[in-house]
Amino acid sequence: MRAMRSKLLAFAAVAALSSATLFSQSQTIRIHAATILDGTGKVLRNSTIVIEGSKIARIESGNAGTATYDLAQLTVVPGLIDVHSHVGWHFDKAGRYAARRGDPSEEILYSAENAYVTLMAGFTTIQSPGQANDVQLRDAIARGALPGPRILTSIRQINENSGTPDELREKVRQLKKDGADVVKIFASASIRDGGKQTMTDAQLQAVCGEANAQGMRTMVHAHSPESIKASVNAGCLQIEHGVFANDEVLKLMADKGVYFDPNVGVVLQNYLRNRDRYEGIGNYNAEGFAYMEKGLGLNKEMMKKAVATPKLLIVNGTDAVAGAHGHNADEIVERVREGMKPMDAIVSATSLSAKSMRLDKTIGTLAPGFEADIVALDGDPITDITAVTRVKFVMKGGKVYKNERNVTTNTSR
Ligand SMILES: [Zn+2]
């Protein structure tokens, strides 16, 4: 009798296990919300997103009763995107900026930590302007066990010292072979060095021309108007920073459909907040910090002009460095403070940024067929943009990574 009972129990356990396996394979998740911003500018009320596997199968109206997750009190948006995040940058054990790469195993763990806090802040996709071990991090996260955003990376950068036009074209082809998702180019000096054009027009034409021929995207660090103009005219596809961008080059970018990624809400604020952790390393000196302090005001003026430029494609990048990971959404808040409409800021950080990475059929929009990258915010970002900094629920590719929907709010960061 006892033997039979244990056999029965064993059978029941096996049956339970196999049905659990079956359930997870064909699992349907239903997320109900009172308000959904779909990422393209549309608002859906009282709707349920039905998720099968990693994708959104359909969106139904109503159906709160059958929801796996009822996010009724929150605002649901697509997973946020940061097109410019230095995921590997970190402070070392002494709390100082780790400018030189140290022990590789320690380095990759810092990157993994940054990836994790970025995902918890609601960013389900980031683009890194590149370091070599981004490749391992990107691939590890893509395997599905390590929590982090989808990562696109340039692996390396190209600057004025990277070679002759022929050598530069070869470098672009090598980046493609090495699996780079984008080519990162420095067309101007750092803001800490005044931001003047550094690469020649011929060099820019070689890099962006070859990248276009190879079907690769380009993102160009450019501060001064002439470096922006030279990059756009060389066929480059996206301009980063642009602190000195004037009306002429803003209009030029708009006319040519070149994406513009001003970084006005995170990077300089972070440097100034963490000044003692950076100062004394490279161009992080008194003069550099003076430039950055001035840059805060220049960025505000520039952002106002950018928002006022018709048809300018403004994407969402932070230039997050050591100390800034997890604060990525502050960028969105600052842009709205400088005049961007809240809905435009949400669209910028979702479907438009996805488009800039040629992922607009996959992510950045809540609609059938898209990856289930779903974030819920405490508050309505259309009336209070700071809601983007209060992320209570994060799903990436149909998997829930954060679920604090029942936690009492009022969190101050
Ligand atoms: Zn950067």
Side-chain angles (χ1 to χ4, degrees):
M1 188 63 193
R2 194 175 286 166
M4 183 185 269
R5 213 180 130 183
S6 72
K7 263 185 196 161
L8 274 174
L9 279 174
F11 174 76
V14 169
L17 192 71
S18 61
S19 74
T21 312
L22 273 177
F23 180 67
S24 72
Q25 274 167 2
S26 59
Q27 192 179 11
T28 298
I29 298 176
R30 308 171 70 85
I31 296 178
H32 173 259
T35 306
I36 298 171
L37 312 183
D38 80 339
T40 71
K42 275 186 241 153
V43 183
L44 311 174
R45 302 282 180 196
N46 183 26
S47 300
T48 299
I49 305 172
V50 182
I51 296 128
E52 282 167 5
S54 74
K55 290 195 163 68
I56 297 170
R58 58 193 177 277
I59 299 180
E60 299 170 350
S61 60
N63 283 338
T66 61
T68 322
Y69 299 98
D70 194 352
L71 306 180
Q73 303 308 310
L74 306 175
T75 303
V76 168
V77 297
L80 301 169
I81 298 172
D82 185 341
V83 301
H84 191 140
S85 166
H86 295 275
V87 68
W89 282 40
H90 62 90
F91 299 127
D92 63 17
K93 281 182 215 157
R96 295 272 291 163
Y97 165 49
R100 296 239 172 88
R101 302 267 86 87
D103 175 73
S105 55
E106 223 171 62
E107 291 296 311
I108 198 70
L109 286 170
Y110 278 119
S111 292
E113 285 176 23
N114 290 338
Y116 178 75
V117 298
T118 302
L119 180 66
M120 291 302 107
F123 285 76
T124 50
T125 304
I126 61 169
Q127 179 161 259
S128 167
Q131 63 184 51
N133 67 6
D134 284 350
V135 173
Q136 283 82 8
L137 183 69
R138 174 190 71 186
D139 296 351
I141 290 171
R143 284 197 293 274
L146 188 69
R150 285 188 187 73
I151 293 179
L152 290 85
T153 176
S154 71
I155 309 175
R156 297 182 286 276
Q157 298 90 22
I158 287 176
N159 62 33
E160 73 275 20
N161 301 317
S162 299
T164 64
D166 274 345
E167 288 164 346
L168 291 173
R169 279 187 278 269
E170 177 52 34
K171 285 200 166 154
V172 170
R173 292 191 289 271
Q174 189 61 45
L175 279 169
K176 188 177 186 183
K177 279 186 205 136
D178 294 344
D181 303 291
V182 61
V183 180
K184 172 72 193 292
I185 303 154
F186 279 88
S188 89
S190 157
I191 185 176
R192 288 178 294 284
D193 299 315
K196 293 266 181 298
Q197 184 172 341
T198 47
M199 286 176 77
T200 65
D201 292 2
Q203 284 179 312
L204 286 168
Q205 285 154 12
V207 178
C208 292
E210 185 64 24
N212 288 337
Q214 297 291 331
M216 291 190 82
R217 296 179 299 109
T218 40
M219 59 193 290
V220 186
H221 166 115
H223 280 300
S224 66
E226 74 273 17
S227 64
I228 295 172
K229 208 170 177 177
S231 304
V232 172
N233 289 334
C236 308
L237 302 184
Q238 182 166 313
I239 303 294
E240 308 297 309
H241 317 303
V243 67
F244 302 112
N246 56 21
D247 289 331
E248 185 200 353
V249 296
L250 290 167
K251 185 173 183 308
L252 178 69
M253 287 187 272
D255 289 346
K256 301 264 178 155
V258 168
Y259 294 102
F260 182 43
D261 174 30
N263 317 121
V264 300
V266 173
V267 62
L268 295 183
Q269 290 87 343
N270 179 73
Y271 278 135
L272 294 166
R273 196 165 51 230
N274 292 293
R275 182 170 182 155
D276 57 328
R277 294 165 178 256
Y278 284 96
E279 195 155 17
I281 301 168
N283 61 8
Y284 297 100
N285 49 31
E287 199 189 356
F289 274 96
Y291 265 118
M292 293 198 281
E293 264 168 20
K294 238 174 68 190
L296 282 179
L298 294 171
N299 269 341
K300 283 181 193 292
E301 280 171 46
M302 177 272 288
M303 191 66 212
K304 287 193 175 88
K305 285 186 209 160
V307 169
T309 305
K311 296 196 164 69
L312 181 60
L313 302 170
I314 303 175
V315 292
N316 187 59
T318 62
D319 199 9
V321 293
H325 302 289
H327 300 281
N328 313 61
D330 291 350
E331 182 69 35
I332 302 170
V333 176
E334 176 62 16
R335 289 175 180 204
V336 170
R337 286 190 180 136
E338 301 314 324
M340 202 171 198
K341 291 194 186 104
M343 185 61 94
D344 290 348
I346 298 291
V347 170
S348 166
T350 55
S351 66
L352 188 64
S353 286
K355 195 170 183 202
S356 76
M357 300 188 299
R358 297 180 181 155
L359 292 174
D360 50 316
K361 300 281 184 281
T362 319
I363 58 168
T365 299
L366 298 178
F370 281 80
E371 284 294 304
D373 290 3
I374 298 171
V375 164
L377 311 172
D378 175 19
D380 179 358
I382 302 307
T383 53
D384 171 15
I385 196 61
T386 66
V388 295
T389 64
R390 296 187 297 273
V391 169
K392 298 293 167 190
F393 179 91
V394 177
M395 170 184 271
K396 190 190 98 188
K399 197 167 162 184
V400 176
Y401 289 92
K402 183 178 190 178
N403 179 16
E404 297 177 350
R405 69 195 195 283
N406 295 324
V407 172
T408 325
T409 52
N410 275 331
T411 33
S412 56
R413 296 181 323 137

